[in-house]
Amino acid sequence: MADRIKPIIHRYEKNPILTKKDVPYPVETVNNAGVVKHEGRYIMLFRSHLRNGRSIIGMAESTDGFRFDVYPEPFLVPAKQGPFAAYEEFGVEDPRICPLDGGHYITYSAYSKHGVRIGLARTTDFKQIERVSLITEADYRNVVIFPERFKGRYARLDRPHSEISPWSIWVSYSPDMIHWGDSRIVIKPLAYHWDEMKIGPGTTPVKTDKGWLNIYHGVFKTMDGAIYRLGVALHDLSDPSKTLAVADSWILQPEDPWEVTGYVHNVVFCCGAVPEEDGTIKIYWGGADTVMCAGTAKISDLIDLCIKNPRPAL
Ligand code: BMA
């Protein structure tokens, strides 16, 4: 009998791990959360749609990475005044958390009538949050900052929108976290492949001995709408613009009922992952833009998938 394909990510048996019923203020969804381990606890910043269709960001905390308690108040809501207000009017979405410079940077999508930009905020204690800057112009989403500098510069993976080319993953650099440039394309969608329509960075890159792991999402358009899946790539440890390998196969696709059906059907969308000391990684994803799910993978399996069966990066 032929070998069956083994799952790379083992879904937590009690998924979904967080739903709107767990949130003590009125929201319609809980999805696309960034997660980080901070002082021995897992901190989750999750997106919620309100009943007007716009989003805010809430916070939850856990000791085991699976059972989360939600804080009574939202963590980040659209700014009402100051320079951010005009660009956050339609909502704040999809937070990613990066530990760096003795605190945590948070990137989020800021939506307004002027388009979608990326906001950068910073916290040291997950109580006080300070907005730093809007770090892209319009038509950018999915910015993840590397938790290290490269030759003194900060680096990020980002995803500009384009009319000409399928939406791809780029790398950009900054001397100060505010001004970004020296951008280069690093991974493109592949024609007639599971990620052919568009791709975007997912988690804050995870350092491994073989390279930076980049868990990203890829979209395939069908007659029944788009399908969001997760893939994985490896970037050079000292030069993240060098893509070492992109796995040909996806690592996760919508299969559970709460991934297949919900606010947006057929979506698994990742903004957070936590590497553990035992060589595993907890991966978190929004299911159908409605609930949060978790799973565990072996970091070595993700690396092997990239190295043993790669597809072209560009
Ligand atoms: C993308 C973003 C994500 C969302 C996904 C699927 O364009 O809006 O936040 O999870 O679509 O709806």
Side-chain angles (χ1 to χ4, degrees):
M1 206 171 85
D3 278 353
R4 305 183 75 179
I5 298 179
K6 292 201 197 94
I8 291 279
I9 298 179
H10 294 271
R11 286 175 164 84
Y12 178 58
E13 62 276 12
K14 293 192 184 139
N15 273 345
I17 58 167
L18 210 67
T19 76
K20 66 176 183 177
K21 291 195 193 111
D22 302 310
V23 181
Y25 43 89
V27 296
E28 291 303 319
T29 67
V30 172
N31 64 313
N32 300 5
V35 186
V36 79
K37 221 183 203 176
H38 174 63
E39 294 174 349
R41 288 165 175 266
Y42 297 78
I43 303 285
M44 173 186 280
L45 298 181
F46 59 86
R47 168 181 176 188
S48 284
H49 291 84
L50 303 175
R51 205 168 266 194
N52 62 6
R54 296 180 179 175
S55 295
I56 60 171
I57 292 170
M59 181 163 122
E61 195 182 292
S62 165
T63 50
D64 66 2
F66 297 111
R67 289 167 302 166
F68 281 86
D69 293 317
V70 178
Y71 277 66
E73 301 293 333
F75 183 71
L76 188 76
V77 298
K80 291 277 183 299
Q81 53 201 18
F84 291 80
Y87 298 102
E88 297 184 359
E89 191 194 350
F90 291 176
V92 288
E93 307 186 357
D94 298 5
R96 274 90 173 188
I97 313 169
C98 170
L100 189 59
D101 294 341
H104 287 87
Y105 288 103
I106 298 155
T107 51
Y108 58 94
S109 303
Y111 274 84
S112 73
K113 55 178 172 266
H114 309 301
V116 55
R117 305 180 66 181
I118 296 298
L120 177 73
R122 192 165 185 276
T123 184
T124 49
D125 54 10
F126 288 97
K127 291 182 188 122
Q128 305 287 334
I129 181 164
E130 173 206 356
R131 281 173 172 84
V132 180
S133 184
L134 287 151
I135 54 169
T136 69
E137 66 271 60
D139 293 343
Y140 270 83
R141 282 182 43 88
N142 306 310
V143 170
V144 296
I145 294 169
F146 283 83
E148 265 181 26
R149 298 189 199 202
F150 301 88
K151 294 190 183 141
R153 294 195 298 174
Y154 296 104
R156 74 184 192 198
L157 298 173
D158 54 35
R159 209 285 305 282
H161 298 181
S162 167
E163 292 278 312
I164 297 170
S165 158
W167 301 1
S168 306
I169 298 177
W170 292 61
V171 68
S172 306
Y173 297 91
S174 172
D176 58 5
M177 267 295 176
I178 293 171
H179 305 91
W180 292 84
D182 196 13
S183 305
R184 286 164 238 187
I185 190 164
V186 288
I187 311 175
K188 246 181 126 85
L190 187 64
Y192 216 77
H193 195 252
W194 64 268
D195 63 2
E196 79 166 349
M197 184 184 167
K198 56 177 176 169
I199 57 175
T203 58
T204 295
V206 176
K207 194 173 192 182
T208 75
D209 53 352
K210 297 285 189 317
W212 291 100
L213 261 191
N214 160 18
I215 297 174
Y216 69 97
H217 66 263
V219 187
F220 188 82
K221 205 169 163 190
T222 75
M223 295 300 285
D224 192 32
I227 303 177
Y228 277 71
R229 298 184 173 96
L230 301 182
V232 64
L234 260 189
H235 298 264
D236 189 89
L237 281 179
S238 53
D239 178 2
S241 71
K242 225 186 259 170
T243 310
L244 301 178
V246 186
D248 185 66
S249 45
W250 67 71
I251 56 169
L252 193 81
Q253 71 160 347
E255 282 176 15
D256 274 339
W258 44 85
E259 298 165 346
V260 170
T261 310
Y263 193 80
V264 181
H265 294 182
N266 285 318
V267 175
V268 291
F269 194 94
C270 177
C271 296
V274 176
E276 303 286 5
E277 274 164 18
D278 64 359
T280 63
I281 182 167
K282 289 190 178 67
I283 300 175
Y284 298 88
W285 62 90
D289 284 359
T290 305
V291 296
M292 274 311 296
C293 304
T296 308
K298 275 195 196 153
I299 291 178
S300 58
D301 284 351
L302 296 172
I303 294 170
D304 282 356
L305 201 72
C306 294
I307 293 173
K308 293 192 178 149
N309 188 22
R311 57 88 150 179
L314 295 175

